[in-house]
Amino acid sequence: MSSTPALSVPSGPSAPPAPPALQATNIGVRFGGIQALDDVSLTLRPGEICGLIGPNGAGKTTLFDVLSGIRRPDEGRVHLDGTDVTRRSPVWRARHGVRRTFQRQQLFGQLTVADNLVVAQEWRGGGGGLAADLLASPTRRTYERDRRARAATVLRACGLDDLGGTYAGALPVGRARMVELARAVADPPRVLLLDEPASGMTADERRHLSSVIRRLSEEEGCAVLLVEHNVAFVMELAARVVVLDLGHVLAEGTPAEVHFDRRVRDAYLGTTAD
């Protein structure tokens, strides 16, 4: 008995691909007569971890400043979820899901670790600008309770739940770096810009940092752009790596492709790299 062939059902129109979480196109930045960035383009997809490496002075921090809104580019555009945000402020971008850490620690040293995370969520409760008689209202107390609950959840996820009551200024460098990451994700991010987050960390702390970043990308769909001078850390963690040199994109590809690119070896990794 011959089998009846399966019917072919025409499929409907496929859904358009989701826009990049963050996209920079043809970015140019000048400082007087110095071209800090020249025609730099970069795309971050939701859930992607992308490494950004290059020698000192390559333009990595300047690009972070452009992406986070601290600096407006002289040329080019920045899009967040398909919306042009080139002229939007850092505060606007932060409230729409762009978070950033800095090379130099930016914790509130005289606040506890938990309070650092609560402050990062303050805008959600309208803490600034509320009338004085509203500050003690049930609504305000609900916001406070919710923020503290979120802070406790994030600290636990980052392995910092034993430090909630510790003053941030008393922390060793590695732990303080981890608190900076926790504060950056206290309010769930869409895009996370990490500027040398592993600086000053021990090998065990770097492994823990790596696991937290992976979880953010895989489970929460966060797009991560990672600047780090520890190239091995970047190559192990990132799915894609962009190399900047003298304000230009020198190379882009998988960690293996970038690692064996002769131009990258000559400019940054060294010609003796394995």
Side-chain angles (χ1 to χ4, degrees):
M1 180 183 296
S2 61
S3 59
T4 303
L7 293 175
S8 175
V9 179
S11 59
S14 58
L22 188 68
Q23 187 170 36
T25 308
N26 307 125
I27 298 298
V29 173
R30 290 184 297 274
F31 299 120
I34 299 174
Q35 189 78 34
L37 294 175
D38 187 8
D39 197 28
V40 171
S41 295
L42 182 146
T43 298
L44 279 177
R45 298 284 177 185
E48 178 185 28
I49 301 174
C50 179
L52 181 64
I53 64 174
N56 288 332
K60 303 183 297 295
T61 296
T62 301
L63 181 57
F64 263 38
D65 288 347
V66 170
L67 296 176
S68 60
I70 292 175
R71 178 171 295 279
R72 187 173 296 172
D74 296 298
E75 294 96 23
R77 316 299 296 176
V78 178
H79 288 80
L80 176 64
D81 289 327
T83 299
D84 191 337
V85 298
T86 309
R87 302 180 68 84
R88 294 290 189 176
S89 70
V91 172
W92 190 96
R93 297 187 202 194
R95 290 184 173 183
H96 287 78
V98 179
R99 308 281 187 271
R100 178 187 177 173
T101 64
F102 292 81
Q103 289 182 21
R104 303 183 73 174
Q105 290 182 24
Q106 301 287 331
L107 293 176
F108 299 111
Q110 295 182 329
L111 296 182
T112 66
V113 168
D115 283 342
N116 266 268
L117 271 66
V118 170
V119 167
Q121 307 169 71
E122 182 66 18
W123 71 274
R124 282 197 174 276
L130 280 183
D133 60 345
L134 185 58
L135 293 177
S137 71
T139 299
R140 175 65 180 183
R141 290 195 296 270
T142 299
Y143 283 133
E144 179 73 12
R145 184 181 65 245
D146 290 347
R147 285 196 297 270
R148 294 219 168 259
R150 171 66 182 175
T153 297
V154 173
L155 288 176
R156 188 162 51 251
C158 293
L160 299 168
D161 43 322
D162 59 328
L163 295 178
T166 302
Y167 285 103
L171 295 174
V173 174
R175 300 292 265 175
R177 289 289 188 193
M178 201 68 205
V179 173
E180 285 185 310
L181 173 62
R183 188 178 63 180
V185 303
D187 198 30
R190 294 270 300 131
V191 176
L192 186 58
L193 308 174
L194 298 177
D195 199 348
E196 298 189 31
S199 175
M201 285 189 166
T202 66
D204 285 343
E205 288 170 336
R206 285 196 300 271
R207 281 191 288 271
H208 178 59
L209 172 66
S210 177
S211 69
V212 172
I213 294 174
R214 284 188 191 279
R215 190 162 64 247
L216 283 166
S217 68
E218 294 172 0
E219 297 180 8
E220 301 190 23
C222 180
V224 180
L225 184 60
L226 171 67
V227 166
E228 182 58 61
H229 283 297
N230 187 324
V231 176
F233 180 82
V234 175
M235 295 297 190
E236 180 181 341
L237 185 58
R240 182 167 55 92
V241 178
V242 176
V243 185
L244 282 184
D245 185 40
L246 298 177
H248 297 268
V249 174
L250 180 65
E252 179 177 355
T254 67
E257 290 169 341
V258 166
H259 182 79
F260 290 106
D261 189 304
R262 176 58 60 183
R263 297 167 302 165
V264 178
R265 286 173 176 250
D266 291 342
Y268 184 51
L269 298 179
T271 57
T272 60
D274 294 331

